[in-house]
């Protein structure tokens, strides 16, 4: 009896999961880091390959022998004690013929989906992987020829490292900032790429763990929380979103008033100016300047104009949003031009201004329903914890004269926004602006778990109230306080996109800034595809017969371009004459390149392979040798 009982128990515990060895594994992955326990000997450097069946059925037909499965190849790359993993189906005629045969697939739609699943998004996850190498003044071998007027420097910034020690960033924007520079002269290009020498990076390197300070989301595993005192001491200088030249310094910016300056020639450290310590802040009693815009405007005198938010430390009192200048001769002093007090200050990543308006120029500030709870921010040091988005609260449009005269504030429907394309005076008492808006805040989409999962990133917008970004034109009547709005580019033929016309990261001719205009260049996602990663650079003609439309597009399969930057042709009256340049990551070839295109047609005229990988990037600027700026 006891023997029978033992046999029965063993029958329940033996062979658990064995049948999974004969089940399909349809997923493919490319160059994914494997978290390893223990340590690997330094001499174990190389590649381990393994092959075997990966799929045992096609359509209604199933294999009856294990060795008959469609072949799959697996690779483990060992280097510096780390392991990276790739797994792909063998691209045999047998597999391809089976996929293409109508009797093997339920219908033609399924066939298309299967083929696309094998070919889309190749290498996309590499945009979220570390690039630890730095290079200085390396010549890039370029194809074709570059116009002689394209003489100057193209700067681009973004994250370059997503982990430190055991802690990994869980949000793309949290990576340690890196600055890239391309120097154009006499038709040649030289390249420099360095990590921003921030306190945040240096402290993290010193303790081999991610330093305390505000992130979009907490790391995995979570950092050690030093409490409110640690929050106040945190440097918060990982300024990897945008940049502006202030005198002889390139200032790196984020959504705060702190900036970190580097030498624009060498990218070496020059200064750190902490926003909390800047003079002349003029905040309400009990408020602290916690945030600011990462998109300032360069003024005629060389100063930059920006926007900041001051939040209350307690539940009482007003909060403030203010427009201020920083001058080249006094980097640590705020020159406040105008402000308005509100019940709660809004997170505003960008804003608009008019140029040359009769009666004085205006700023256009959108106060979206995103507010900062300082107590929660200080407690967790993440925007995810500190941001509050109450339902039923509209978006406020503040039209603010830069000379401090009477302001206009109008409430409109709730929406969230990222970037202005342009703003201008559309009449004696009217102001218009074009902006990318959505029904959900864009920050959540750049969660690492979403960005590294094709299904989640492709479906996120539809699953979040169709929160695709849409370019909308608003007009505000300053007398009647009436607001009209118009979607500029609906999906379809005008946009060359059937899913949604999702454009952002706009660039315009510098002479059009703050004035009525006829077009822009933009980063285009879901470009004629159901895949978010179908990225393109598109040129939009706003004055085209029949309405705004995409008139030119640069797009290559599995090649991921950055924000475009426009360099105008000197002396030309054609607002599209010049070149547009951008960085790309080519997932097919696993390489980063600099691409220069004709600005009108977006046809490539020159490109060169870079010596290092550049991950996801944010914003860039061009500074010509004559110190002219292209925003």
């Amino acid at each position: 009896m006891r023997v029978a009982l033992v046999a029965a128990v063993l029958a329940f515990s033996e062979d658990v999961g064995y049948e999974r060895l004969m089940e399909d594994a349809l997923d493919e992955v490319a160059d994914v880091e494997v978290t390893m326990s223990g340590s690997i000997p330094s001499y174990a450097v190389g590649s381990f390959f393994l092959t075997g069946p990966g799929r045992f059925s096609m359509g209604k037909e199933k294999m009856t022998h294990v060795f008959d499965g469609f072949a799959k190849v697996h690779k483990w790359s060992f280097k510096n004690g780390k392991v990276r993993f790739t797994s792909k189906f063998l691209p045999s005629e047998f597999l391809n013929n089976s996929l293409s045969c109508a009797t093997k697939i339920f219908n033609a739609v399924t066939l298309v989906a299967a083929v696309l699943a094998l070919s889309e998004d190749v290498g996309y996850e590499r945009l979220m992987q570390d690039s630890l190498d730095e290079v200085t003044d390396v010549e890039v071998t370029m194809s074709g020829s570059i116009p002689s007027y394209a003489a100057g420097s193209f700067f681009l910034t973004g994250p370059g490292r997503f982990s430190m020690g055991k802690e990994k960033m869980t949000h793309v924007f949290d990576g340690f900032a890196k600055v890239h520079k391309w120097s154009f002269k006499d038709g040649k290009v030289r390249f420099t790429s360095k990590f921003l020498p921030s306190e945040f990076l240096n402290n993290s390197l010193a303790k081999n763990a991610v330093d305390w300070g505000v992130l979009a989301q907490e790391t995995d595993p979570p950092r050690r929380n030093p409490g409110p005192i640690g929050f106040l001491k945190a440097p918060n200088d990982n300024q990897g979103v945008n940049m502006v030249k202030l005198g002889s310094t390139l200032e790196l910016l984020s959504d705060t008033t702190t900036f970190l300056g580097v030498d624009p020639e060498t990218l070496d450290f020059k200064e750190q100016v902490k926003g909390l310590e800047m003079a002349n802040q003029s905040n309400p009693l009990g408020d602290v300047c916690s945030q600011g815009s990462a998109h300032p405007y360069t003024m005629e005198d060389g100063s930059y104009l920006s926007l900041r938010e001051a939040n209350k430390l307690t539940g009482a009192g007003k909060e403030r949003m203010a427009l201020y200048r920083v001058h080249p001769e006094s980097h640590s002093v705020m020159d406040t031009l105008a402000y308005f007090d509100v019940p709660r200050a809004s997170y505003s990543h960008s804003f608009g201004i008019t140029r040359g308006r009769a009666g004085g120029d205006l700023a256009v500030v959108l106060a979206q329903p995103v507010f900062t709870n300082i107590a929660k921010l200080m407690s967790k040091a993440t925007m995810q914890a500190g941001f509050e988005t109450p339902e039923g609260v509209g978006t406020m449009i503040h039209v603010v004269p830069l000379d401090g005269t009477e302001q206009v504030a109008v409430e409109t429907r709730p929406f969230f926004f990222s970037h202005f394309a342009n703003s201008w005076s559309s009449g004696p008492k009217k102001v218009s602006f074009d902006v990318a808006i959505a029904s959900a805040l864009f920050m959540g989409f750049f969660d690492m778990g979403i960005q590294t999962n094709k299904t989640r990133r492709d479906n996120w917008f539809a699953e979040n109230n169709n929160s695709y970004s849409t370019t909308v034109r608003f007009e505000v009547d300053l007398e009647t306080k009436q607001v009209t709005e118009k979607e500029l580019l609906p999906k379809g033929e005008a946009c060359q996109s059937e899913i949604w016309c999702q454009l952002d990261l706009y660039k315009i001719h510098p002479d059009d800034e703050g004035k009525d205009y006829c077009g822009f260049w933009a980063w285009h996602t879901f470009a004629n595809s159901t895949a978010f990663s179908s990225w393109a650079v598109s040129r939009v003609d706003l004055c085209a017969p029949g309405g705004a439309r995409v008139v030119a597009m640069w797009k290559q399969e599995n090649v991921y371009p950055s924000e475009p930057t426009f360099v105008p042709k000197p002396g030309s009256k054609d607002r599209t004459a010049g070149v547009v340049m951008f960085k790309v990551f080519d997932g097919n070839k696993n390489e980063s390149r600099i691409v220069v295109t004709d600005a009108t047609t977006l046809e490539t005229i020159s490109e060169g392979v870079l010596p290092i990988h550049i991950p996801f990037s944010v914003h860039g600027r061009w500074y010509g040798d004559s110190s002219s700026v292209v925003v």
Side-chain angles (χ1 to χ4, degrees):
M1 194 68 172
R2 289 182 181 179
V3 174
L5 175 61
V6 171
V9 171
L10 288 176
F12 279 113
S13 60
E14 286 182 328
D15 298 5
V16 175
Y18 179 81
E19 289 77 8
R20 282 278 285 152
L21 293 171
M22 276 64 71
E23 293 180 7
D24 291 349
L26 303 183
D27 292 332
E28 295 183 300
V29 294
D31 198 37
V32 175
E33 185 170 350
V34 180
T35 302
M36 303 292 291
S37 64
S39 60
I40 300 170
S42 59
Y43 58 80
V45 178
S47 298
F48 167 41
F49 296 92
L50 185 68
T51 189
R55 179 172 185 166
F56 300 94
S57 64
M58 186 67 70
K60 297 179 180 180
E61 299 170 358
K62 297 181 180 180
M63 308 293 191
T64 60
H65 196 284
V66 175
F67 296 166
D68 287 336
F70 294 97
K72 207 172 186 184
V73 185
H74 318 283
K75 174 189 175 185
W76 291 263
S77 300
F78 290 73
K79 187 177 180 180
N80 298 330
K82 293 185 177 181
V83 179
R84 306 193 72 84
F85 176 62
T86 296
S87 179
K88 295 184 180 182
F89 278 97
L90 189 66
S92 62
E93 282 191 61
F94 176 60
L95 173 63
N96 293 333
N97 292 346
S98 299
L99 287 168
S100 64
C101 181
T103 61
K104 306 297 182 183
I105 297 183
F106 295 116
N107 53 52
V109 174
T110 308
L111 170 62
V112 172
V115 173
L116 287 176
L118 290 174
S119 61
E120 283 185 330
D121 297 17
V122 174
Y124 181 84
E125 287 78 8
R126 279 278 283 153
L127 292 169
M128 275 64 69
Q129 293 176 6
D130 292 350
S131 177
L132 303 184
D133 293 330
E134 297 180 299
V135 295
T136 301
D137 199 35
V138 175
E139 184 170 352
V140 180
T141 302
M142 303 292 291
S143 65
S145 61
I146 300 169
S148 59
Y149 60 80
S153 298
F154 170 39
F155 296 94
L156 184 68
T157 188
R161 180 173 183 164
F162 301 96
S163 63
M164 188 67 71
K166 296 179 179 179
E167 297 165 359
K168 297 181 179 180
M169 309 293 191
T170 63
H171 197 281
V172 176
F173 296 166
D174 286 335
F176 294 96
K178 207 171 188 184
V179 189
H180 318 284
K181 175 190 175 184
W182 291 265
S183 301
F184 289 74
K185 188 176 182 180
D186 299 328
K188 295 185 177 181
V189 179
R190 304 193 72 84
F191 176 62
T192 296
S193 179
K194 294 183 180 181
F195 278 96
L196 190 65
S198 62
E199 277 191 63
F200 177 64
L201 174 62
N202 292 333
N203 292 348
S204 299
L205 287 169
K207 59 186 181 183
N208 195 31
V210 179
D211 196 25
W212 196 244
V214 177
L215 299 177
Q217 295 178 178
E218 189 49 77
T219 62
D220 180 25
R223 301 166 293 169
R224 186 186 69 82
N225 188 334
I229 300 300
F231 180 88
L232 295 174
K233 291 181 177 180
N236 287 317
D237 63 346
N238 189 36
Q239 309 300 87
V241 177
N242 206 351
M243 74 287 294
V244 64
K245 224 174 186 180
L246 191 60
S248 61
T249 303
L250 185 72
E251 305 290 0
L252 278 299
L253 312 170
S254 186
D255 289 325
T256 70
T257 52
T258 292
F259 49 86
L260 198 147
V262 299
D263 185 316
E265 296 301 319
T266 65
L267 301 185
D268 292 336
F269 175 81
K270 285 188 71 174
E271 67 174 358
Q272 180 204 61
V273 178
K274 294 188 176 182
L276 290 174
E277 299 173 1
M278 294 181 76
N280 294 347
Q281 291 195 35
S282 179
N283 296 325
L285 184 64
D287 280 17
V288 59
C289 184
S290 63
Q291 292 171 323
S293 169
H295 289 272
Y297 292 87
T298 299
M299 310 307 283
E300 291 182 358
D301 63 356
S303 65
Y304 81 68
L305 172 72
S306 196
L307 173 72
R308 64 180 179 86
E309 299 103 45
N311 303 98
K312 56 199 173 195
L313 291 170
T314 65
K318 291 281 190 179
E319 298 187 343
R320 177 167 292 178
M321 301 184 75
L323 292 153
Y324 69 97
R325 273 180 165 178
V326 175
H327 295 273
E329 65 274 10
S330 51
H331 294 192
S332 61
V333 178
M334 288 183 177
D335 177 13
T336 300
L337 300 182
Y339 66 85
F340 50 94
D341 290 342
V342 290
R344 300 193 73 180
S346 167
Y347 164 69
S348 296
H349 178 66
S350 62
F351 66 103
I353 63 170
T354 67
R355 301 271 197 182
R357 175 181 177 271
D361 283 323
L362 309 169
V364 180
V365 178
L366 289 181
Q368 62 188 342
V370 181
F371 310 109
T372 302
N373 184 314
I374 289 294
K376 291 181 179 179
L377 185 69
M378 293 180 67
S379 173
K380 300 292 186 180
T382 68
M383 296 165 74
Q384 186 179 55
F387 276 179
E388 296 178 344
T389 56
E391 294 185 5
V393 179
T395 293
M396 296 294 299
I397 304 173
H398 295 269
V399 181
V400 185
L402 297 182
D403 61 6
T405 54
E406 185 178 358
Q407 305 172 9
V408 172
V410 183
E411 184 173 1
T412 186
R413 65 182 177 89
F415 63 80
F416 302 92
F417 80 101
S418 53
H419 299 101
F420 278 71
N422 202 9
S423 50
W424 65 97
S425 175
S426 50
K429 293 291 183 178
K430 292 182 178 180
V431 64
S432 295
F433 55 94
D434 296 340
V435 65
I437 71 169
S439 57
L441 187 62
F442 69 93
M443 294 289 290
F445 175 65
F446 289 95
D447 175 285
M448 281 286 199
I450 294 170
Q451 285 298 302
T452 56
N453 183 302
K454 175 175 171 55
T455 301
R456 293 184 67 189
R457 65 176 175 260
D458 287 349
N459 296 336
W460 186 88
F461 297 94
E463 293 173 353
N464 284 268
N465 195 28
N466 273 341
S467 57
Y468 299 91
S469 176
T470 306
T471 305
V472 174
R473 175 166 295 179
F474 290 86
E475 184 176 74
V476 182
D477 188 310
L478 302 179
E479 286 190 328
T480 66
K481 296 188 178 181
Q482 295 296 307
V483 179
T484 60
E485 62 176 271
K486 175 186 178 182
E487 184 178 351
L488 289 181
L489 285 148
K491 66 182 180 181
E493 181 182 354
C495 187
Q496 300 185 33
S497 292
E498 294 299 326
I499 299 302
W500 209 276
C501 190
Q502 184 153 281
L503 301 169
D504 204 346
L505 307 182
Y506 311 96
K507 285 298 174 73
I508 62 175
H509 193 291
D511 292 343
D512 284 339
E513 185 180 83
K515 302 172 185 177
D516 197 2
Y517 71 130
C518 271
F520 57 74
W521 295 264
W523 178 56
H524 192 162
T525 57
F526 289 107
N528 201 25
S529 173
T530 58
F532 167 78
S533 70
S534 181
W535 290 3
V537 170
S538 292
R539 181 171 74 84
V540 173
D541 186 346
L542 298 172
C543 302
R549 63 190 303 110
V550 171
V551 293
M553 179 185 289
W554 188 98
K555 183 178 184 298
Q556 296 179 6
E557 294 303 316
N558 302 316
V559 179
Y560 312 106
S562 67
E563 173 190 78
T565 290
F566 172 61
V567 181
K569 183 177 181 179
S572 176
K573 294 182 179 179
D574 181 355
R575 287 290 202 259
T576 71
V579 298
V580 165
M581 58 185 65
F582 42 89
K583 176 270 299 182
V584 305
F585 174 68
D586 188 331
N588 303 306
K589 298 180 179 179
N590 192 29
E591 66 184 21
S592 296
R593 300 196 298 271
I594 179 70
V595 177
V596 182
T597 70
D598 178 275
T600 304
T601 65
L602 291 181
E603 294 179 356
T604 301
I605 60 174
S606 182
E607 65 178 349
V609 178
L610 302 176
I612 62 171
H613 165 58
I614 300 182
F616 184 91
S617 55
V618 191
H619 296 297
R621 286 192 188 234
W622 168 267
Y623 287 91
D625 283 347
S626 62
S627 297
S628 60
V629 179
V630 175
V631 178

